[in-house]
Amino acid sequence: MKILVVDDDKDIVELLSIYIKNEGYEVEKAYNGKEAISKLNTNPDIALMILDIMMPNMDGMEVVREIRRDSQIPVLMLSAKTDDLDKIQGLVQGADDYVTKPFNPLEVMARVKSLLRRSEQTVQKTEPDKIEIGPLIIKKDSHEVKTIDGKDIKLTALEFGILHLLASHPNRVFSADEVFERVWQQESVVSAKTVMVHVSHLRDKIEEATNGEQVIQTVWGVGYKIESR
């Protein structure tokens, strides 16, 4: 399994490469956004990207926007910025997780493993599992979401995980902590804003495909649910 590390700081790239290789993964390296996109286009076996935000020529935000047009590869963003708005912006653009600099390489690897585990589970072939709820048809085995009239809705692995969790338990309200722990498969640590951003992005995609239908409901002060119809 191959991981792409993208940062204009070569020392950071080399440090992460050592830890990645120690965990048994292969490494691809890039030092700017344009090189990162080129690496992704020529290496279809790349399973995850660790991406710095602040880079010359083409920053990490631009890279995520570009690759999300046709790729759902997990993206872990790195940034020296600690403001919550910067984190939220990265998640809205399509990143799956966010680590601030300076970071502990062991924490980065823990998050990498979690994202890879989640990604593998969403594409793993299992027994057929189709959920039809409201205007949506959700197929777990093929990681597909369509509207009842056949329109595809492209979701990231985490967005799919949230949707499948809620749709699998109609009418049940899940708190942000519960969503985080079940979908991210980590203990909840300041998860509310992260979950909120992913749910918001998921809602936007569903509403765009269904002419504004509000499938996911917020129960204020409690959490999220999808009602059976």
Side-chain angles (χ1 to χ4, degrees):
M1 190 173 292
K2 189 177 293 184
I3 296 172
L4 173 61
V5 182
V6 188
D7 199 308
D8 59 331
D9 187 328
K10 293 187 178 181
D11 289 338
I12 288 179
V13 172
E14 292 306 313
L15 174 64
L16 289 175
S17 296
I18 291 171
Y19 279 82
I20 290 168
K21 289 177 181 177
N22 284 343
E23 293 293 338
Y25 303 116
E26 296 180 60
V27 179
E28 281 288 335
K29 304 173 186 178
Y31 303 100
N32 59 65
K34 291 184 178 179
E35 185 180 7
I37 291 174
S38 176
K39 292 277 188 179
L40 282 176
N41 290 336
T42 56
N43 290 271
D45 54 341
I46 290 175
L48 179 143
M49 176 166 58
I50 300 174
L51 175 66
D52 184 38
I53 291 182
M54 301 299 292
M55 295 184 294
N57 300 324
M58 186 178 195
D59 66 21
M61 298 292 187
E62 292 178 277
V63 173
V64 171
R65 284 197 296 270
E66 178 70 22
I67 67 171
R68 281 293 178 252
R69 294 177 182 176
D70 55 13
S71 173
Q72 303 306 318
I73 182 175
V75 176
L76 173 61
M77 297 199 88
L78 304 176
S79 179
K81 295 183 176 182
T82 58
D83 193 296
D84 281 343
L85 289 176
D86 294 307
K87 297 179 183 179
I88 289 171
Q89 185 182 3
L91 295 170
V92 167
Q93 296 301 334
D96 296 283
D97 204 352
Y98 193 110
V99 175
T100 55
K101 297 178 179 179
F103 55 78
N104 183 332
L106 294 176
E107 178 190 359
V108 173
M109 291 311 304
R111 296 190 183 222
V112 164
K113 290 177 183 178
S114 177
L115 289 174
L116 287 173
R117 184 167 59 246
R118 181 65 213 165
S119 179
E120 288 169 357
Q121 287 176 349
T122 58
V123 300
Q124 184 180 17
K125 295 300 179 182
T126 61
E127 291 300 315
D129 181 7
K130 183 170 75 171
I131 299 173
E132 296 187 27
I133 190 163
L136 303 179
I137 299 172
I138 304 164
K139 296 181 179 180
K140 183 180 179 182
D141 58 329
S142 57
H143 194 207
E144 289 180 283
V145 180
K146 296 178 180 289
T147 62
I148 54 176
D149 57 1
K151 186 182 297 183
D152 287 316
I153 304 176
K154 291 186 177 181
L155 303 179
T156 66
L158 290 172
E159 289 165 357
F160 183 89
I162 293 170
L163 179 61
H164 191 270
L165 173 65
L166 299 179
S168 298
H169 302 83
N171 303 314
R172 176 179 170 182
V173 180
F174 285 87
S175 69
D177 285 344
E178 287 179 302
V179 172
F180 189 90
E181 289 173 1
R182 290 193 179 218
V183 176
W184 274 255
Q185 297 188 348
Q186 300 176 24
E187 290 188 8
S188 177
V189 180
V190 194
S191 61
K193 289 183 180 178
T194 298
V195 172
M196 177 187 69
V197 171
H198 283 279
V199 169
S200 177
H201 210 193
L202 173 59
R203 276 182 172 141
D204 289 343
K205 292 181 179 180
I206 293 172
E207 290 180 13
E208 182 180 356
T210 61
N211 295 318
E213 289 206 38
Q214 296 182 355
V215 174
I216 299 175
Q217 298 184 18
T218 298
V219 180
W220 294 108
V222 184
Y224 306 97
K225 69 175 180 176
I226 295 179
E227 288 190 346
S228 57
R229 302 181 186 180

PDB file of all heavy atoms in Angstrom, residues 178-199:
ATOM      1  N   GLU A 178     -20.937   9.994  19.092  1.00  0.00           N
ATOM      2  CA  GLU A 178     -21.221   8.637  18.618  1.00  0.00           C
ATOM      3  C   GLU A 178     -20.869   8.494  17.140  1.00  0.00           C
ATOM      4  O   GLU A 178     -20.299   7.473  16.720  1.00  0.00           O
ATOM      5  CB  GLU A 178     -22.696   8.304  18.822  1.00  0.00           C
ATOM      6  CG  GLU A 178     -23.095   8.059  20.252  1.00  0.00           C
ATOM      7  CD  GLU A 178     -24.567   7.747  20.386  1.00  0.00           C
ATOM      8  OE1 GLU A 178     -25.395   8.590  19.964  1.00  0.00           O
ATOM      9  OE2 GLU A 178     -24.900   6.670  20.895  1.00  0.00           O
ATOM     10  N   VAL A 179     -21.221   9.508  16.350  1.00  0.00           N
ATOM     11  CA  VAL A 179     -20.892   9.471  14.917  1.00  0.00           C
ATOM     12  C   VAL A 179     -19.385   9.391  14.743  1.00  0.00           C
ATOM     13  O   VAL A 179     -18.867   8.576  13.963  1.00  0.00           O
ATOM     14  CB  VAL A 179     -21.454  10.709  14.194  1.00  0.00           C
ATOM     15  CG1 VAL A 179     -20.946  10.758  12.758  1.00  0.00           C
ATOM     16  CG2 VAL A 179     -22.983  10.694  14.213  1.00  0.00           C
ATOM     17  N   PHE A 180     -18.666  10.233  15.480  1.00  0.00           N
ATOM     18  CA  PHE A 180     -17.209  10.260  15.344  1.00  0.00           C
ATOM     19  C   PHE A 180     -16.603   8.902  15.704  1.00  0.00           C
ATOM     20  O   PHE A 180     -15.771   8.359  14.967  1.00  0.00           O
ATOM     21  CB  PHE A 180     -16.627  11.346  16.246  1.00  0.00           C
ATOM     22  CG  PHE A 180     -15.153  11.599  16.035  1.00  0.00           C
ATOM     23  CD1 PHE A 180     -14.715  12.538  15.124  1.00  0.00           C
ATOM     24  CD2 PHE A 180     -14.201  10.878  16.749  1.00  0.00           C
ATOM     25  CE1 PHE A 180     -13.365  12.763  14.915  1.00  0.00           C
ATOM     26  CE2 PHE A 180     -12.849  11.091  16.552  1.00  0.00           C
ATOM     27  CZ  PHE A 180     -12.430  12.042  15.633  1.00  0.00           C
ATOM     28  N   GLU A 181     -17.014   8.350  16.833  1.00  0.00           N
ATOM     29  CA  GLU A 181     -16.426   7.097  17.294  1.00  0.00           C
ATOM     30  C   GLU A 181     -16.745   5.932  16.367  1.00  0.00           C
ATOM     31  O   GLU A 181     -15.911   5.051  16.148  1.00  0.00           O
ATOM     32  CB  GLU A 181     -16.910   6.796  18.713  1.00  0.00           C
ATOM     33  CG  GLU A 181     -16.304   7.748  19.740  1.00  0.00           C
ATOM     34  CD  GLU A 181     -16.885   7.587  21.128  1.00  0.00           C
ATOM     35  OE1 GLU A 181     -17.762   6.710  21.297  1.00  0.00           O
ATOM     36  OE2 GLU A 181     -16.461   8.314  22.042  1.00  0.00           O
ATOM     37  N   ARG A 182     -17.955   5.919  15.789  1.00  0.00           N
ATOM     38  CA  ARG A 182     -18.338   4.805  14.914  1.00  0.00           C
ATOM     39  C   ARG A 182     -17.748   4.936  13.520  1.00  0.00           C
ATOM     40  O   ARG A 182     -17.338   3.935  12.915  1.00  0.00           O
ATOM     41  CB  ARG A 182     -19.859   4.718  14.826  1.00  0.00           C
ATOM     42  CG  ARG A 182     -20.512   4.246  16.116  1.00  0.00           C
ATOM     43  CD  ARG A 182     -21.948   3.900  15.854  1.00  0.00           C
ATOM     44  NE  ARG A 182     -22.615   3.415  17.055  1.00  0.00           N
ATOM     45  CZ  ARG A 182     -23.500   2.450  17.057  1.00  0.00           C
ATOM     46  NH1 ARG A 182     -23.816   1.833  15.932  1.00  0.00           N
ATOM     47  NH2 ARG A 182     -24.094   2.085  18.177  1.00  0.00           N
ATOM     48  N   VAL A 183     -17.725   6.145  12.979  1.00  0.00           N
ATOM     49  CA  VAL A 183     -17.269   6.340  11.599  1.00  0.00           C
ATOM     50  C   VAL A 183     -15.758   6.498  11.524  1.00  0.00           C
ATOM     51  O   VAL A 183     -15.098   5.877  10.685  1.00  0.00           O
ATOM     52  CB  VAL A 183     -17.981   7.551  10.961  1.00  0.00           C
ATOM     53  CG1 VAL A 183     -17.432   7.823   9.560  1.00  0.00           C
ATOM     54  CG2 VAL A 183     -19.488   7.300  10.900  1.00  0.00           C
ATOM     55  N   TRP A 184     -15.186   7.316  12.404  1.00  0.00           N
ATOM     56  CA  TRP A 184     -13.738   7.521  12.410  1.00  0.00           C
ATOM     57  C   TRP A 184     -13.024   6.368  13.116  1.00  0.00           C
ATOM     58  O   TRP A 184     -11.841   6.182  12.954  1.00  0.00           O
ATOM     59  CB  TRP A 184     -13.385   8.841  13.100  1.00  0.00           C
ATOM     60  CG  TRP A 184     -13.420  10.045  12.234  1.00  0.00           C
ATOM     61  CD1 TRP A 184     -12.350  10.734  11.726  1.00  0.00           C
ATOM     62  CD2 TRP A 184     -14.575  10.757  11.771  1.00  0.00           C
ATOM     63  NE1 TRP A 184     -12.769  11.810  10.993  1.00  0.00           N
ATOM     64  CE2 TRP A 184     -14.125  11.855  11.002  1.00  0.00           C
ATOM     65  CE3 TRP A 184     -15.945  10.576  11.940  1.00  0.00           C
ATOM     66  CZ2 TRP A 184     -15.003  12.752  10.398  1.00  0.00           C
ATOM     67  CZ3 TRP A 184     -16.825  11.470  11.344  1.00  0.00           C
ATOM     68  CH2 TRP A 184     -16.352  12.538  10.585  1.00  0.00           C
ATOM     69  N   GLN A 185     -13.773   5.640  13.942  1.00  0.00           N
ATOM     70  CA  GLN A 185     -13.235   4.530  14.726  1.00  0.00           C
ATOM     71  C   GLN A 185     -12.090   4.980  15.627  1.00  0.00           C
ATOM     72  O   GLN A 185     -11.041   4.342  15.742  1.00  0.00           O
ATOM     73  CB  GLN A 185     -12.790   3.386  13.815  1.00  0.00           C
ATOM     74  CG  GLN A 185     -13.960   2.792  13.040  1.00  0.00           C
ATOM     75  CD  GLN A 185     -13.596   1.552  12.274  1.00  0.00           C
ATOM     76  OE1 GLN A 185     -12.426   1.231  12.118  1.00  0.00           O
ATOM     77  NE2 GLN A 185     -14.585   0.842  11.795  1.00  0.00           N
ATOM     78  N   GLN A 186     -12.308   6.127  16.259  1.00  0.00           N
ATOM     79  CA  GLN A 186     -11.398   6.652  17.262  1.00  0.00           C
ATOM     80  C   GLN A 186     -12.233   7.149  18.434  1.00  0.00           C
ATOM     81  O   GLN A 186     -13.411   7.454  18.270  1.00  0.00           O
ATOM     82  CB  GLN A 186     -10.590   7.841  16.721  1.00  0.00           C
ATOM     83  CG  GLN A 186      -9.734   7.555  15.517  1.00  0.00           C
ATOM     84  CD  GLN A 186      -9.060   8.824  15.017  1.00  0.00           C
ATOM     85  OE1 GLN A 186      -8.875   9.777  15.754  1.00  0.00           O
ATOM     86  NE2 GLN A 186      -8.699   8.833  13.754  1.00  0.00           N
ATOM     87  N   GLU A 187     -11.602   7.261  19.584  1.00  0.00           N
ATOM     88  CA  GLU A 187     -12.293   7.884  20.692  1.00  0.00           C
ATOM     89  C   GLU A 187     -12.518   9.351  20.363  1.00  0.00           C
ATOM     90  O   GLU A 187     -11.677  10.008  19.751  1.00  0.00           O
ATOM     91  CB  GLU A 187     -11.469   7.764  21.981  1.00  0.00           C
ATOM     92  CG  GLU A 187     -11.403   6.353  22.526  1.00  0.00           C
ATOM     93  CD  GLU A 187     -10.745   6.300  23.880  1.00  0.00           C
ATOM     94  OE1 GLU A 187     -10.484   7.376  24.459  1.00  0.00           O
ATOM     95  OE2 GLU A 187     -10.483   5.194  24.354  1.00  0.00           O
ATOM     96  N   SER A 188     -13.677   9.864  20.750  1.00  0.00           N
ATOM     97  CA  SER A 188     -14.034  11.225  20.412  1.00  0.00           C
ATOM     98  C   SER A 188     -13.141  12.223  21.133  1.00  0.00           C
ATOM     99  O   SER A 188     -13.021  12.208  22.353  1.00  0.00           O
ATOM    100  CB  SER A 188     -15.499  11.493  20.796  1.00  0.00           C
ATOM    101  OG  SER A 188     -15.830  12.827  20.540  1.00  0.00           O
ATOM    102  N   VAL A 189     -12.477  13.089  20.342  1.00  0.00           N
ATOM    103  CA  VAL A 189     -11.655  14.162  20.902  1.00  0.00           C
ATOM    104  C   VAL A 189     -12.000  15.441  20.145  1.00  0.00           C
ATOM    105  O   VAL A 189     -11.621  15.615  18.988  1.00  0.00           O
ATOM    106  CB  VAL A 189     -10.146  13.857  20.757  1.00  0.00           C
ATOM    107  CG1 VAL A 189      -9.323  14.994  21.352  1.00  0.00           C
ATOM    108  CG2 VAL A 189      -9.802  12.551  21.432  1.00  0.00           C
ATOM    109  N   VAL A 190     -12.728  16.329  20.771  1.00  0.00           N
ATOM    110  CA  VAL A 190     -13.162  17.588  20.156  1.00  0.00           C
ATOM    111  C   VAL A 190     -13.743  17.298  18.774  1.00  0.00           C
ATOM    112  O   VAL A 190     -13.316  17.844  17.770  1.00  0.00           O
ATOM    113  CB  VAL A 190     -11.986  18.598  20.057  1.00  0.00           C
ATOM    114  CG1 VAL A 190     -12.502  20.001  19.756  1.00  0.00           C
ATOM    115  CG2 VAL A 190     -11.194  18.631  21.356  1.00  0.00           C
ATOM    116  N   SER A 191     -14.726  16.401  18.720  1.00  0.00           N
ATOM    117  CA  SER A 191     -15.211  15.899  17.438  1.00  0.00           C
ATOM    118  C   SER A 191     -16.392  16.665  16.873  1.00  0.00           C
ATOM    119  O   SER A 191     -16.701  16.552  15.695  1.00  0.00           O
ATOM    120  CB  SER A 191     -15.621  14.432  17.593  1.00  0.00           C
ATOM    121  OG  SER A 191     -16.669  14.328  18.543  1.00  0.00           O
ATOM    122  N   ALA A 192     -17.081  17.451  17.698  1.00  0.00           N
ATOM    123  CA  ALA A 192     -18.355  18.033  17.271  1.00  0.00           C
ATOM    124  C   ALA A 192     -18.219  18.857  15.998  1.00  0.00           C
ATOM    125  O   ALA A 192     -19.017  18.726  15.072  1.00  0.00           O
ATOM    126  CB  ALA A 192     -18.953  18.867  18.397  1.00  0.00           C
ATOM    127  N   LYS A 193     -17.203  19.721  15.938  1.00  0.00           N
ATOM    128  CA  LYS A 193     -17.045  20.578  14.762  1.00  0.00           C
ATOM    129  C   LYS A 193     -16.664  19.762  13.530  1.00  0.00           C
ATOM    130  O   LYS A 193     -17.134  20.044  12.423  1.00  0.00           O
ATOM    131  CB  LYS A 193     -15.996  21.655  15.035  1.00  0.00           C
ATOM    132  CG  LYS A 193     -16.463  22.711  16.018  1.00  0.00           C
ATOM    133  CD  LYS A 193     -15.417  23.798  16.211  1.00  0.00           C
ATOM    134  CE  LYS A 193     -15.903  24.857  17.191  1.00  0.00           C
ATOM    135  NZ  LYS A 193     -14.878  25.904  17.424  1.00  0.00           N
ATOM    136  N   THR A 194     -15.821  18.751  13.736  1.00  0.00           N
ATOM    137  CA  THR A 194     -15.426  17.902  12.611  1.00  0.00           C
ATOM    138  C   THR A 194     -16.642  17.194  12.030  1.00  0.00           C
ATOM    139  O   THR A 194     -16.852  17.179  10.810  1.00  0.00           O
ATOM    140  CB  THR A 194     -14.393  16.860  13.079  1.00  0.00           C
ATOM    141  OG1 THR A 194     -13.229  17.539  13.537  1.00  0.00           O
ATOM    142  CG2 THR A 194     -14.015  15.921  11.945  1.00  0.00           C
ATOM    143  N   VAL A 195     -17.454  16.605  12.894  1.00  0.00           N
ATOM    144  CA  VAL A 195     -18.658  15.908  12.433  1.00  0.00           C
ATOM    145  C   VAL A 195     -19.616  16.891  11.770  1.00  0.00           C
ATOM    146  O   VAL A 195     -20.191  16.596  10.720  1.00  0.00           O
ATOM    147  CB  VAL A 195     -19.348  15.187  13.610  1.00  0.00           C
ATOM    148  CG1 VAL A 195     -20.696  14.617  13.178  1.00  0.00           C
ATOM    149  CG2 VAL A 195     -18.453  14.077  14.148  1.00  0.00           C
ATOM    150  N   MET A 196     -19.780  18.077  12.352  1.00  0.00           N
ATOM    151  CA  MET A 196     -20.682  19.080  11.807  1.00  0.00           C
ATOM    152  C   MET A 196     -20.314  19.443  10.370  1.00  0.00           C
ATOM    153  O   MET A 196     -21.184  19.546   9.498  1.00  0.00           O
ATOM    154  CB  MET A 196     -20.647  20.341  12.667  1.00  0.00           C
ATOM    155  CG  MET A 196     -21.516  21.488  12.151  1.00  0.00           C
ATOM    156  SD  MET A 196     -21.276  23.010  13.108  1.00  0.00           S
ATOM    157  CE  MET A 196     -19.593  23.445  12.634  1.00  0.00           C
ATOM    158  N   VAL A 197     -19.023  19.616  10.122  1.00  0.00           N
ATOM    159  CA  VAL A 197     -18.577  19.983   8.779  1.00  0.00           C
ATOM    160  C   VAL A 197     -18.863  18.875   7.785  1.00  0.00           C
ATOM    161  O   VAL A 197     -19.359  19.115   6.675  1.00  0.00           O
ATOM    162  CB  VAL A 197     -17.075  20.330   8.784  1.00  0.00           C
ATOM    163  CG1 VAL A 197     -16.560  20.484   7.361  1.00  0.00           C
ATOM    164  CG2 VAL A 197     -16.839  21.607   9.561  1.00  0.00           C
ATOM    165  N   HIS A 198     -18.571  17.638   8.158  1.00  0.00           N
ATOM    166  CA  HIS A 198     -18.801  16.514   7.243  1.00  0.00           C
ATOM    167  C   HIS A 198     -20.301  16.311   6.988  1.00  0.00           C
ATOM    168  O   HIS A 198     -20.701  16.022   5.855  1.00  0.00           O
ATOM    169  CB  HIS A 198     -18.171  15.239   7.793  1.00  0.00           C
ATOM    170  CG  HIS A 198     -16.688  15.183   7.619  1.00  0.00           C
ATOM    171  ND1 HIS A 198     -16.083  14.808   6.439  1.00  0.00           N
ATOM    172  CD2 HIS A 198     -15.676  15.486   8.462  1.00  0.00           C
ATOM    173  CE1 HIS A 198     -14.775  14.856   6.569  1.00  0.00           C
ATOM    174  NE2 HIS A 198     -14.501  15.275   7.794  1.00  0.00           N
ATOM    175  N   VAL A 199     -21.126  16.458   8.017  1.00  0.00           N
ATOM    176  CA  VAL A 199     -22.570  16.340   7.829  1.00  0.00           C
ATOM    177  C   VAL A 199     -23.077  17.450   6.916  1.00  0.00           C
ATOM    178  O   VAL A 199     -23.915  17.213   6.034  1.00  0.00           O
ATOM    179  CB  VAL A 199     -23.308  16.381   9.188  1.00  0.00           C
ATOM    180  CG1 VAL A 199     -24.813  16.519   8.977  1.00  0.00           C
ATOM    181  CG2 VAL A 199     -23.017  15.124   9.985  1.00  0.00           C
TER     182      VAL A 199
END
